[in-house]
């Protein structure tokens, strides 16, 4: 998968730059940036948004096309007893199917449900994208704190350690930039692209469900699957 290639390349670059440079592995900088970012998550996001982000991030490893195909085949083969589901849409369709709604209302309800799912996910992605603004700021705070310690040391006559202390102070900014620009923001872009893929999958499933609801011939339903 392409994301694995990109992640591997970034990992190799960071390994090459960090190896042998123990000064960059500054514990205080890492705690400030990573710990501060985690705290910001809980300040920005609701419990449901955090849960959605965790689920969506884990879904990056899943093959959406394969899951959709399995769901569609299950619907076509046995509409009355579908084993597979896709984001709860099929089980929802079965529930309103039993009520006996008309075609237009059936389609509207499914479309609204699918859009609600996408909107909920996009809201969680928006939280992640906003979160990406904070690690650089947290890194700057860590750098300022390091500079304060540096100047305090200068007043004590430790001028021979200026270079090393300044370098340590700047590592906080480094980690802030890394966390934001090489992890959080790319992850948000990846999840957003994933949602666009899901949107198409949901539309395809809705079309299949509508043909079955209208008791169309199986060949028409299979034609939707084959075209997609």
């Amino acid at each position: 998968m392409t994301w694995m290639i990109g992640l591997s390349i970034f990992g190799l670059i960071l390994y090459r730059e960090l190896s042998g440079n123990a000064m960059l592995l500054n514990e205080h900088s890492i705690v400030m940036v990573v710990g501060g970012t985690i705290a910001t998550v809980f300040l920005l996001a609701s419990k449901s948004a955090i849960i959605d982000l965790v689920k969506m991030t884990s879904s990056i490893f899943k093959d959406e096309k394969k899951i959709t195909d399995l769901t569609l085949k299950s619907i076509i083969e046995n509409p009355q007893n579908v084993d597979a589901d896709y984001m709860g849409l099929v089980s929802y369709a079965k529930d309103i199917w039993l009520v006996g709604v008309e075609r237009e209302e059936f389609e509207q309800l499914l479309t609204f449900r699918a859009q609600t799912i996408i909107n909920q996910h996009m809201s969680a992605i928006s939280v992640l994208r906003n979160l990406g603004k904070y690690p650089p700021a947290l890194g700057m705070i860590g750098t300022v704190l390091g500079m304060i310690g540096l100047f305090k040391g200068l007043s004590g006559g430790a001028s021979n350690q200026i270079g090393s202390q300044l370098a340590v102070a700047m590592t906080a900014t480094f980690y802030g930039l890394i966390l934001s620009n090489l992890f959080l923001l790319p992850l948000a872009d990846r999840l957003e692209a994933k949602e666009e893929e899901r949107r198409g999958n949901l539309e395809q499933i809705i079309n299949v469900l509508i043909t079955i609801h209208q008791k169309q011939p199986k060949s028409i339903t299979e034609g939707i699957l084959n075209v997609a």
Side-chain angles (χ1 to χ4, degrees):
M1 301 173 73
T2 55
W3 66 269
M4 293 184 67
I5 297 175
L7 188 62
S8 299
I9 293 174
F10 276 132
L12 289 173
I13 293 173
L14 289 176
Y15 175 78
R16 180 181 181 279
E17 296 300 320
L18 292 175
S19 60
N21 195 343
M23 191 172 293
L24 287 175
L25 301 177
N26 182 264
E27 179 183 352
H28 300 291
S29 299
I30 296 174
V31 170
M32 182 68 193
V33 174
V34 177
T37 301
I38 293 174
T40 305
V41 171
F42 291 97
L43 290 173
L44 285 178
S46 63
K47 180 180 178 181
S48 59
I50 294 174
I51 293 174
D52 286 338
L53 279 175
V54 172
K55 290 180 178 179
M56 292 163 61
T57 302
S58 63
S59 71
I60 291 180
F61 302 95
K62 298 179 181 178
D63 188 341
E64 294 290 329
K65 181 69 167 57
K66 183 178 179 180
I67 296 173
T68 305
D69 288 345
L70 290 173
T71 302
L72 289 170
K73 289 177 181 178
S74 179
I75 296 172
I76 294 172
E77 290 173 2
N78 192 356
Q80 303 301 324
N81 187 22
V82 180
D83 294 327
D85 200 351
Y86 189 79
M87 302 176 71
L89 185 65
V90 179
S91 59
Y92 176 73
K94 290 168 64 178
D95 291 339
I96 61 176
W97 203 328
L98 296 174
V99 178
V101 297
E102 298 296 327
R103 179 194 186 280
E104 184 176 351
E105 186 179 2
F106 182 76
E107 181 177 356
Q108 288 176 350
L109 288 171
L110 287 183
T111 302
F112 179 77
R113 178 74 171 194
Q115 189 60 50
T116 300
I117 294 171
I118 295 297
N119 289 343
Q120 181 179 346
H121 288 180
M122 292 303 292
S123 177
I125 294 173
S126 178
V127 170
L128 181 63
R129 195 176 297 283
N130 288 330
L131 181 65
K133 300 183 297 184
Y134 292 93
L138 291 167
M140 287 298 297
I141 293 174
T143 297
V144 170
L145 292 175
M147 295 292 290
I148 292 174
L150 170 62
F151 291 136
K152 183 179 179 180
L154 286 177
S155 64
S159 58
N160 60 327
Q161 299 179 3
I162 291 179
S164 61
Q165 290 180 349
L166 182 60
V168 170
M170 293 301 294
T171 58
T173 299
F174 168 77
Y175 281 115
L177 293 172
I178 288 292
L179 183 59
S180 176
N181 295 288
L182 295 186
F183 182 70
L184 295 179
L185 294 180
L187 178 60
D189 290 338
R190 180 70 185 185
L191 291 178
E192 190 169 341
K194 195 81 170 180
E195 284 308 303
E196 288 302 318
E197 181 183 357
R198 286 198 181 104
R199 189 191 301 273
N201 294 339
L202 288 169
E203 291 175 356
Q204 186 183 0
I205 291 173
I206 288 174
N207 290 333
V208 170
L209 290 170
I210 290 173
T211 60
I212 295 175
H213 179 264
Q214 292 299 298
K215 299 180 180 179
Q216 297 287 344
K218 188 176 181 179
S219 58
I220 295 178
T221 307
E222 291 176 337
I224 296 175
L225 177 59
N226 292 333
V227 169

